[in-house]
Amino acid sequence: MCGIFGYIGNQNNAAESTLEGLKLLEYRGYDSWGIAVKDGKNIIVEKHVGKIGQAKTSLPKSSLGIGHTRWATHGGVTVENSHPHLDCRKEIAVIHNGIIENFKDLKNELLAKNHIFLSETDTEILPHLIEEYLKTEEFSSAVRDAFNRLKGLNAVVVAYSPSEEIIAAKTGSPLVVGLGVNEFYVASDVSGIINHTRRILFVEDNQMVILGKKLKLISLSSGDEIQPVFNDIDWKFEQSDKGDFKHFFMKEVSEQPKVVKNIALNYKAESEKLADLIDKAFGTFMLGCGTASYAALAGTYLFSRIAKKHINFSIGSEFMYLEDYLTQKSLIIPISQSGETIDVVEPVAKALKKGAKIAAIINVLGSTLYRQADYKFLLGAGPEKAVVGTKSFIAMIAMLILTAYTLAKKQSKGKDLLIKSAENIENILKVDFIEKIKIIADDLKNKEHIYIIGRGLSYATAVEATLKIKETSCIHAEGFAGGELKHGVIALIEKGTPCIVFAPNDETYDDIISNAEEINARGGFIIGIGPKNNDVFDRFLQTDDIGEATMIPQVVISQILAYQLALKRGIEDPDKPRNLAKSVTVK
Ligand code: F6R
C-alpha cells in the first residue's frame, strides 16, 4: 500500500529518477501520485489523480526529490489528498505509508495552534507537527520527536527546504535505502532501486535514517547512532512486460503450466525440507490473506487427506487472536505472494517473539517475510504484475500438493499429478476452450450475483473462484461450502440465479450434486466444473480427473471466466481493479 521513493545525491535529475522509481512501485497503490523536489530554497510539488502510466514530470532540475503513489486510507482520491503533504510555510514535505492511528488527536492539537490543513489525510499532520518541533529543535531531532508521537505502523520520508538532507523513519511499513556513488535512494522495496544500486540497507522498525553527504542511522527510541549493515544484493529481479498480451492478467494465467512444472520438477529438496519441518512440529499453522489465505485453507484439506496430518488454518489478520497457545515447538507457515502483507508480517513477528519457527512460502525474494523467516521457500513464479493473484496462487497450491505427497512418502505421485495438471492448463488455454468459457461469460455478464459452491478441497476452490470474479469483474459473488446451502443461502436462489458448482471426481461428488439438485429445484442456472458431466448442469466445463490437483484446472477456468467477465463488462483495466493494491502494508 503506497509506494515511497526518494533520491538525494550528486545528480540533478531527482524528479525524473523519482518518477521512474514510482512507476516501478505503482503496484503498491495507484489512486494518485505526487513528487516534491527542492529547488534552491523552495519545495516544489507536482500531484496528480489516477495512474502514472507514461507520465512525464515538469518539475525543475534538482538533486533532492521524494515521491509517492497513493492507496487511499484517510480521505478520498483527490489532488489535495495525494502526497507529498506540506506544512503551513511550505518548507517541509512528507510522504507516508501506513496509518497514523492517533491523527485526530494530533490534528486537534495542531488546529488549536492555528495550523491550516488542506487535505483530509492523516499524513498531513506530520509536516505540521515537525513544523512545531522545528521552532525549538534542528531538523533531525524535530522529525524524530514528531514521528515518535505517531501511533500505528508507519513509514515516512521527509524533506525540508533549508536542509541538504532527507530523513526516513519507520515503525512498520517497509523501507529500504540504496547506497550509490555519492547518492542515496530510499524506497518501499528493493525493486524500486535495484536499477540504481545493489548495496542495500534494510531499515528496521524504530529506526530513522538521515541521508545527505553521508548516511546516519539512528534509533528512534534512544536517539543513539546505530552502525548500518549494508547488504550486497545479488538477487535477480526479473523484469516483466506484457509481450503479445493485452493485459498482465492473461499473460500470467498463461504462464501457469510453466510455474507448475517448475515446482513438480525442481522442488524435491524444498518439499522434503518443508515436509520434515511439518512432521517434527508440534502444532502447525498456515496463514495468509485473501487469495493466499485460500491456499492456506486448501493446505488443511490437502495435508489431512494426503498426509493424514492436521494443519491449523487462520486468516492472517485473525491469527494474533489465536497466538496465545503458540510454543517454541509451533511451526508457522505464512503464505504470501508479496511477502509484505502487514496482516501476515505482524502476527509472524509476534510468533517469532514466542519462539515459534517460521517457514515462509513466498514469491518475492528479499521481502519482509523472507527476512523474518527461519526457513524460506520461494515459489519461483516470477514477477506477478497484475494486482489479482493468479500464478502465485497456483504455485502455492502446487507447492502444498507436492509437500503433502512428500510427507506421505509418495512424492512421485504428487509430481505426476502436478505435471498432469500443467498439461490440463495448456488445454484450457487453447482457443476452443476459451470460447466455451466466453459463452458462460455471456450468460453471466449482466447478473448481479453469482453463487459458487464446493465441498472439502473444492470449498477452497469455490472461495478462490469467488474472489477472482468479485475483484476482476466487480460482480458480487459468494462462495461457500455446499453443505451450508440449506442453512441459509438457499433463500437467495430464484429462477435464473447463476450458481457455479465445483464437482471433482472425489468423495464430495455425490453430495455436491445433491446440492446442485437443490439449486435446480429452485430454478437456479447451474454451471458445473469438473471431470464428470451431470444432467443437473445447465452448462459444463470439463477438467481432467487428476486427484487433488483437479483443483488447479478448476481455478484456472475461474480465472479466465473472471477475466472474460471483466472484458464483457467493459472494465477499463483488469490488471488494476478499483480500490486494490498489490502489496497490502496497512492494517
Ligand atoms: C487477490 C489477491 C489478494 C492477495 C492478498 C495477500 O487476487 O491477490 O487477495 O492474495 O492481498 O497478498 P500476498 O499474497 O502478497 O500476501
Side-chain angles (χ1 to χ4, degrees), residues 98-110:
I99 293 176
I100 301 172
E101 289 167 6
N102 56 339
F103 94 98
K104 284 200 176 126
D105 293 343
L106 293 170
K107 191 164 179 172
N108 287 337
E109 178 186 317
L110 290 159

Side-chain angles (χ1 to χ4, degrees), residues 289-292 335-341 344 384 387-389 396 464 467-468 471 581-584:
C289 294
T291 280
I335 304 180
S336 172
Q337 190 286 130
S338 64
E340 297 291 358
T341 303
V344 180
E384 190 175 67
V387 166
V388 175
M396 291 164 191
E464 169 58 5
L467 186 58
K468 292 306 90 153
E471 59 189 347
K582 187 74 183 159
S583 183
V584 185

Side-chain angles (χ1 to χ4, degrees), residues 262-278 375-378 399 402-404 406-407 411 415:
N262 178 39
I263 290 178
L265 299 175
N266 301 318
Y267 277 58
K268 183 173 182 299
E270 282 88 344
S271 61
E272 283 169 2
K273 180 69 200 166
L274 185 55
D276 186 52
L277 290 168
I278 294 172
Y375 307 95
K376 307 152 203 293
F377 299 93
L378 283 168
M399 179 71 189
L402 189 65
T403 307
T406 303
L407 187 54
Q411 192 182 58
K415 186 174 152 183

